[in-house]
Amino acid sequence: MTSASPGRLVVLTGADGRLGSRLAFRVAAAGGQQRLLVGGRGAAPRLPDGTPLPETEIVAVPSGAGSRMLAGAFDGAYAVFLAPGREHPGRLGRHRAVIDAAVLAGVRHVVYVSSVGAAPDAVASVARDDWLTEEYLRGTDLAWTMLRTAMFHRTLTFAVYDESHGSGAGAVLRAPAGDGRVACVSHDDVADVATAVLLDEDPSRHAGRIYHLTGPEALRLDEVAAALSTAAGRTIRYVPQTLDQARALFYRSTAAEVEDWITQCQAIAEGALAEVSPDVSQLAGRRARSLEAWLDDYPTEWAHLRLPSVG
């Protein structure tokens, strides 16, 4: 297990989120000093008995906090973990405010969670946004590390729709991804890598590095559906969509959410998310968790795929 270097405070943004909370538990287990930034309504992670994590400060930061307010929350920190913002207008502004605050507070290192395929001409809209954030970070004097992640295992489970009305048939994974492959990754693997980077006794080892965090295999979505079927004990079929069909299915979502999902699926279809990287195993010290292993380890994460019990 990673051990923390003494006297080095790290700040975790998004600590009330799925990724940030996992990272907070790992930093605490390693004996690290950390300050957790949570949203105005967010709950900071706690131990099972309800007590706070050791060596941990909690700071509530309102949505839209500017760089000067954030700089106060970063005071005395060596490194900042920049969790990705939700895909909506203002996401880039939030990222830049965090980076500006890190500069103002004298932080030395920022670890940013980016996207596999980040580029100015990336197919996925989130990957284009992440490229702009990366470029903004590169334009500062801060040391930086980019953790470019693939699509998360859990994300794919929310593309499954129960069209059976509880009869047990008709569960369908719908996505405009064609027969492309995706090397999806678990939140835990990304949290393990982030822990290793943030708490390394020689932080310069990771300065200026870009890591690609993927699962151990690249799956077609019919293979994803088969794995979900086995885990859930019911048949789940993959049905490729056209772009118009995908937009019609997400009519209740915001335009930004629809664009994010559809363009990520287009990236899958075009092969942009198919490459398998060894970076998780090299940095976490173990093999990346496959979709099948994740399904076995975290049944509560995909419980919505099961049929409701009767009686």
Side-chain angles (χ1 to χ4, degrees), residues 30-309:
Q33 295 180 324
Q34 61 182 336
R35 185 177 297 143
L36 307 184
L37 270 57
V38 300
R41 298 182 180 180
R46 290 177 172 268
L47 295 173
D49 64 2
T51 58
L53 299 177
E55 299 293 328
T56 298
E57 304 173 52
I58 310 296
V59 178
V61 178
S63 176
S67 56
R68 293 198 177 277
M69 179 179 291
L70 288 168
F74 294 168
D75 185 48
Y78 180 88
V80 168
F81 173 78
L82 175 47
R86 297 179 66 85
E87 281 60 60
H88 59 74
R91 178 176 184 264
L92 284 173
R94 174 187 173 276
H95 290 175
R96 289 171 176 169
V98 170
I99 293 167
D100 290 343
V103 173
L104 288 171
V107 171
R108 296 179 62 185
H109 191 181
V110 170
V111 177
Y112 176 55
V113 180
S114 184
S115 299
V116 165
D121 58 350
V123 175
S125 59
V126 66
R128 295 194 296 271
D129 284 352
D130 283 330
W131 171 259
L132 293 174
T133 299
E134 287 187 1
E135 285 293 278
Y136 194 78
L137 182 52
R138 289 187 186 98
T140 70
D141 291 331
L142 295 162
W144 52 262
T145 305
M146 314 299 186
L147 305 183
R148 291 185 177 175
T149 66
M151 182 179 286
F152 288 110
H153 294 326
R154 188 172 185 269
T155 301
L156 290 166
T157 72
F158 287 96
V160 175
Y161 298 86
D162 188 350
E163 302 177 356
S164 65
H165 305 290
S167 68
V172 179
L173 191 166
R174 296 189 180 277
D179 60 357
R181 293 179 177 271
V182 57
C184 49
V185 69
S186 75
H187 285 85
D188 291 86
D189 286 346
V190 177
D192 282 342
V193 169
T195 303
V197 171
L198 286 165
L199 302 186
D200 196 312
E201 62 182 12
D202 179 12
S204 64
R205 192 194 322 267
H206 305 287
R209 299 292 300 272
I210 298 174
Y211 297 119
H212 296 86
L213 309 186
T214 73
E217 57 191 351
L219 301 173
R220 296 190 311 270
L221 265 62
D222 61 328
E223 295 172 323
V224 171
L228 298 180
S229 297
T230 299
R234 64 187 302 204
T235 299
I236 298 173
R237 298 177 298 114
Y238 168 53
V239 177
Q241 294 176 303
T242 65
L243 297 182
D244 287 342
Q245 288 171 334
R247 290 192 176 94
L249 190 63
F250 283 94
Y251 71 96
R252 291 183 177 176
S253 302
T254 67
E257 289 170 338
V258 174
E259 181 70 7
D260 175 51
W261 169 249
I262 287 177
T263 58
Q264 285 193 69
C265 289
Q266 288 180 288
I268 293 174
E270 297 189 15
L273 300 182
E275 185 174 349
V276 174
S277 167
D279 287 350
V280 167
S281 60
Q282 291 175 357
L283 290 159
R286 57 164 178 76
R287 189 171 185 262
R289 186 175 277 102
S290 67
L291 174 63
E292 183 178 3
W294 176 82
L295 290 167
D296 188 52
D297 290 343
Y298 294 96
T300 59
E301 296 280 278
W302 51 268
H304 59 282
L305 299 182
R306 297 185 186 274
L307 283 172
S309 57

